[in-house]
């Protein structure tokens, strides 16, 4: 009888020990740290361009260089006459600059409206030489330059093709601030004559045009762009000649 009781107690102790062991093992497995696989765990990557901050309106400043010219029937007529002088009269691009500010107003993640205002130098340049080969040693030259200054007010539509890279286009109204015709003459490397004439009253005070181009905006706020201004209005307010502004622009900008 004592032997049966002894075996019964041993069996009960064995069952209790097994139950505690299984419960402890289950608890350890529940909190076990996954084994290291040797590869870094993938983490979500966030881009500031794809978040809501990309839709925040921004203001900025822009400055750069202009290379301007005139186009139209009047300019073509001058060049046709110049062809009879064996290249004695040539048309050149006039250098200048522009500086201003803008506001970028996002409409969606890939589209924005950008009004702006800037001071911009435009105009045209003609240069003539003495059309006699025997007098080439004099290096005699006459230069006439139209030095025009405008306040440009464009309203651009910007479409982002990739993060940072965009195309832009839109209308532009330009207000004439000043226009001086500079005439210079010289020979043998010396300036013999130089005079500025105020001809603003002979030109239209408002010029309508369209602009377009491309650019890239960096995450740092800096950006680069290049574009073309295509004037639609005839410049002469008395309709004596037909000519329009043409401007190539290269700009550096910063958005706040």
């Amino acid at each position: 009888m004592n032997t049966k009781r002894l075996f019964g107690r041993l069996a009960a102790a064995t069952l209790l020990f097994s139950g505690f062991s299984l419960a402890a093992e289950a608890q350890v497995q529940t909190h076990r740290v996954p084994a290291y696989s040797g590869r870094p765990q993938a983490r979500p990557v966030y881009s500031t361009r794809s978040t809501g901050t990309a839709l925040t309106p921004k203001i900025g400043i822009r400055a750069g260089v202009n290379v301007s010219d005139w186009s139209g029937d009047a300019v073509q007529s001058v060049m046709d006459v110049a062809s009879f002088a064996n290249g004695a009269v040539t048309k050149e691009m006039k250098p200048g600059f522009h500086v201003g500010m803008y506001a970028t107003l996002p409409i969606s993640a890939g589209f924005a409206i950008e009004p702006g205002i800037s001071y911009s130098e435009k105009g045209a340049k003609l240069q003539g030489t003495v059309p006699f080969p025997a007098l080439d040693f004099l290096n005699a030259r006459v230069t006439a330059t139209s030095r025009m200054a405008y306040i440009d007010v464009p309203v651009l539509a910007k479409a982002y093709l990739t993060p940072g890279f965009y195309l832009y286009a839109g209308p532009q109204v330009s207000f004439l601030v000043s226009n001086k015709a500079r005439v210079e003459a010289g020979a043998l490397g010396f300036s013999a004559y130089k005079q500025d004439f105020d001809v603003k009253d002979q030109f239209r005070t408002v010029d309508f045009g369209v602009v377009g181009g491309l650019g890239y905006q960096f995450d740092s706020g800096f950006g680069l762009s290049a574009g073309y201004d295509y004037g639609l209005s005839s410049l002469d307010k008395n309709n004596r000649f037909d000519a329009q502004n043409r401007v190539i622009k290269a700009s550096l900008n910063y958005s706040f």
Side-chain angles (χ1 to χ4, degrees):
M1 189 71 179
N2 292 335
T3 304
K4 291 182 179 180
R5 289 181 181 178
L6 178 60
F7 280 107
R9 291 176 180 177
L10 290 175
T14 302
L15 290 175
L16 288 174
F17 181 80
S18 300
F20 282 116
S21 299
L22 290 174
E25 183 178 356
Q27 186 175 6
V28 171
Q29 289 180 352
T30 301
H31 299 282
R32 182 173 296 171
V33 178
Y36 178 69
S37 62
R39 293 178 298 176
Q41 298 295 319
R43 296 182 179 179
V45 178
Y46 301 97
S47 173
T48 56
R49 297 190 185 279
S50 61
T51 62
T53 58
L55 298 179
T56 303
K58 295 180 178 295
I59 61 172
I61 54 177
R62 175 182 288 116
V65 296
N66 292 353
V67 181
S68 61
D69 195 5
W70 288 353
S71 180
D73 294 339
V75 177
Q76 187 59 47
S77 297
V78 171
M79 298 314 299
D80 289 343
V81 173
S83 65
F84 292 101
N86 296 322
V89 179
T90 58
K91 181 167 67 79
E92 299 179 5
M93 303 290 282
K94 175 189 170 297
F97 73 93
H98 63 272
V99 60
M101 59 187 305
Y102 59 89
T104 304
L105 310 175
I107 304 300
S108 65
F111 187 78
I113 300 296
E114 188 174 276
I117 183 170
S118 63
Y119 173 88
S120 183
E121 292 185 340
K122 307 178 186 180
K125 184 176 182 180
L126 290 175
Q127 183 168 272
T129 59
V130 177
F132 302 107
L135 299 178
D136 285 348
F137 71 96
L138 294 175
N139 193 27
R141 296 179 181 275
V142 177
T143 303
T145 307
S146 174
R147 306 175 66 201
M148 311 177 78
Y150 283 90
I151 297 296
D152 289 342
V153 183
V155 179
L156 307 177
K158 297 176 66 175
Y160 287 86
L161 304 183
T162 65
F165 179 70
Y166 61 87
L167 300 178
Y168 70 86
Q172 176 173 272
V173 181
S174 301
F175 301 93
L176 184 63
V177 176
S178 66
N179 185 9
K180 296 183 182 296
R182 172 169 292 182
V183 179
E184 300 174 87
L188 297 175
F190 296 96
S191 177
Y193 178 83
K194 182 177 180 180
Q195 185 68 42
D196 288 343
F197 301 92
D198 192 342
V199 295
K200 178 183 176 183
D201 293 341
Q202 302 178 32
F203 287 75
R204 297 184 189 275
T205 57
V206 180
D207 182 29
F208 295 95
V210 293
V211 299
L214 51 83
Y216 191 90
Q217 197 70 32
F218 297 94
D219 288 331
S220 62
F222 285 99
L224 301 170
S225 64
Y228 188 73
D229 292 9
Y230 188 91
L232 300 175
S233 304
S234 180
L235 298 175
D236 179 27
K237 72 176 185 180
N238 298 314
N239 296 318
R240 294 167 301 180
F241 64 88
D242 177 60
Q244 296 84 33
N245 280 315
R246 302 286 185 263
V247 185
I248 300 172
K249 292 182 176 179
S251 308
L252 174 67
N253 69 279
Y254 184 80
S255 295
F256 298 94

